[in-house]
Each structure stands twice: as C-alpha cells, then as structure tokens.
Amino acid sequence: MLGLGLAGLGYASVVERNSFRLRRFDVPVLERGHRPVRILHLSDLHLTPRRSMLIKWVRSLGALEPDLVVNTGDSIAHPEAVPALLHALEPLLSRPGLFVYGSNDLYAPQPKNPARYLWRTSRNERRQNVPNLPWEELGAGMTSEGWLDMNNTTARVKVGDLDVAVAGIHDSHISRDRYDLVAGPAPADADLRLGVMHSPEPSNMTRFADDGYQLLLAGHTHGGQLCIPFYGALVTNCGIDRARVKGLSRHDSAWLHVSAGLGTSPYAPARFACFPEASLLTLVPRR
C-alpha cells in the first residue's frame, strides 16, 4: 500500500502536474452573420521562476493566434515571477488581451493543511494584511503591451470583427470585488457582452447575467485539483457547485466557462485526475 501511495504521489506531482492540455469548446453566443472568433482563456498559473516546462508550454500557445486572450488571475506565486510570466506570455501579448487579479497575485502562498478544504473554503483566509507580491509590476507588464486591466471596471474592445463590451471584477475570494462599480445593463449595441472574474461566486455570476452579459469567464477552482476518477472534484473552494468546477456550462441566461488552470500552489504541487489546462473558446453564431 505504501508503494502504491508513493507511486500515486509521484504521478500526481511529477507527471500529471506537467501534462498540460488545451481544451476546446464551441460557444453558440453570437448573432447570425458574425464570423467565429476565438478566445484563449488562461488562469491560475501560480508561476514561480523555475517552472520551465510551464513557461515553454504557455509560449507555444502563441501559435494559436487567438483573437483575444483572457487571463483570470493567480498568475504568480513568487516575488520574482513577473519576468518569467511576461516571458511566458510574450508570444500572446501582441494579441488583444485583458486580465483580472486573483488573491495569489497579491499575497504569497503559505503552507496550509489541504484537508481543510473538505469542510471550508479559503475565502479571506490569509495572514498578510499588506500585499507582498509585486501585483503592480505584474499589471504594468501586461498593460504596457496593450492588455486591459479589468479589475472592477468596464471597457469596449475590438475582437476580430466584434465590438465587445467587457465588465470585470477583482477577486471576491479576498473581498476586493466591487460589482456595484460595473453594475447596470450591459451595452445593448455590443456584438458580445463578456463578464470576467477570478472566483466563480454564484452571486456575482447572477448579477452579470441579470445585467445582460452573455459569456462569463472565471478560474480559481483548479478544477478541484485532486479529483476522484468517475466522481470528479471533491471541493471547489468557492460557492460554485462541483458539477461546474471546470469547463463550459450555463448560469441563468449566460454561458459560463471555468478554467481548471495551469498551476498549483508551490505548497501543494500535485494534480490528480485533473490535468492542468488552458482553453480555446470558439464563439459561433446561435442556431
């Protein structure tokens, strides 16, 4: 039994953690007559400077030439990770892009008992009162290349042939979301209305849907990270249900995509039955 346990741990921490996947989804959200556009959704890299395999794989995504890149946060996990992240994103930074922060873009990860997730989430669970990761440098690195900072704000962006109205919020997991700053009916004249957040909290998703946003993107869950084959995630670490812990689903009138993310906390460097992933969403006309 000990041998099987060690083999499983080795697989989860060495093999599956570095077996990056690109998932593809068609999202029927456009009006008839529009050509398809592609959104590359990245999330939860939790990057440290020496994760060379992850950096190389993210760089390879530039070959996809997406129409828009959306980064839903928790990009870094180390004070010196920003240059490594910008190097990883370099082939994508020339594409239109936007981002929001996750808690681990501000607060460095700390050792924790992973079993606690079975009975509670980690919402507002941090020892630091002042951010100790270079989140401002992180944001400046992306905005200097033209990506939009969508934390508690709205914007319009050209995506292929589409005029896209975007609303984004900061991370609800650390109570920095301010939906009231973006609240109100989404612009009716936009070809697409997109809502972006880090943690998929149902209360915020409902507000996005009620305001007319058609596609919602989030991360945070890691897809459950340690899952049971044929059963799925044990926990989501937020308010969303296990059935929607990753992938494409519906929330009220909106489509919802939750990324299982590409990384892990440095203090929990393992994935099981939950491969690290990025997603390519092809938006197509409704039938």
Side-chain angles (χ1 to χ4, degrees):
M1 290 298 291
L2 178 60
L4 287 175
L6 291 174
L9 180 61
Y11 167 81
S13 61
V14 177
V15 178
E16 186 165 324
R17 179 174 175 248
N18 293 299
S19 297
F20 310 111
R21 306 293 175 90
L22 179 68
R23 301 184 77 195
R24 298 173 184 263
F25 299 92
D26 288 345
V27 188
V29 71
L30 302 181
E31 296 289 344
R32 292 183 180 181
H34 287 296
R35 74 169 185 86
V37 300
R38 299 186 304 161
I39 297 177
L40 178 63
H41 183 187
L42 305 175
S43 198
D44 297 271
L45 276 74
H46 293 276
L47 194 64
T48 55
R50 295 186 179 182
R51 290 217 61 195
S52 57
M53 294 177 67
L54 175 54
I55 292 168
K56 181 179 179 180
W57 191 83
V58 173
R59 287 183 62 85
S60 75
L61 298 175
L64 296 172
E65 297 186 344
D67 298 293
L68 177 70
V69 184
V70 178
N71 177 1
T72 50
D74 275 4
S75 297
I76 58 175
H78 189 281
E80 299 176 4
V82 172
L85 178 75
L86 295 177
H87 177 66
L89 294 177
E90 181 185 15
L92 296 165
L93 288 172
S94 61
R95 317 298 300 182
L98 51 91
F99 66 93
V100 293
Y101 295 126
S103 62
N104 287 142
D105 293 320
L106 284 73
Y107 300 101
Q110 296 177 322
K112 298 175 182 177
N113 176 8
R116 79 197 188 291
Y117 288 118
L118 294 174
W119 62 82
R120 57 166 298 175
T121 75
S122 60
R123 182 178 173 89
N124 289 322
E125 184 184 271
R126 65 181 189 276
R127 298 171 189 168
Q128 310 100 315
N129 293 317
V130 178
N132 59 358
L133 286 180
W135 63 274
E136 292 174 308
E137 179 187 351
L138 169 65
M142 292 185 282
T143 57
S144 68
E145 298 295 331
W147 283 18
L148 300 180
D149 180 342
M150 295 306 306
N151 290 284
N152 298 325
T153 193
T154 59
R156 299 286 281 261
V157 61
K158 191 73 172 177
V159 179
D161 296 329
L162 301 182
D163 173 27
V164 180
V166 187
I169 54 174
H170 206 306
D171 189 4
S172 59
H173 211 63
I174 50 174
S175 300
R176 286 181 175 249
D177 55 321
R178 301 291 184 269
Y179 193 90
D180 286 346
L181 296 179
V182 304
D189 60 340
D191 298 317
L192 174 70
R193 295 172 290 280
L194 176 65
V196 183
M197 71 208 87
H198 177 65
S199 181
E201 290 296 340
S203 58
N204 281 326
M205 296 190 300
T206 295
R207 295 190 73 179
F208 274 118
D210 287 348
D211 280 342
Y213 290 93
Q214 301 157 290
L215 174 61
L216 312 179
L217 302 183
H220 175 71
T221 65
H222 296 192
Q225 189 167 328
L226 300 176
C227 299
I228 297 177
F230 309 111
Y231 178 80
L234 295 172
V235 296
T236 68
N237 195 27
C238 63
I240 200 170
D241 52 284
R242 291 190 309 102
R244 297 186 295 165
V245 71
K246 66 178 180 179
L248 188 67
S249 62
R250 299 285 290 184
H251 185 83
D252 297 338
S253 60
W255 288 98
L256 168 68
H257 181 262
V258 178
S259 173
L262 282 163
T264 66
S265 166
Y267 296 108
R271 282 179 175 257
F272 190 79
C274 186
F275 288 96
E277 66 179 41
S279 296
L280 189 66
L281 309 177
T282 300
L283 311 188
V284 299
R286 296 187 293 270
R287 294 180 179 178

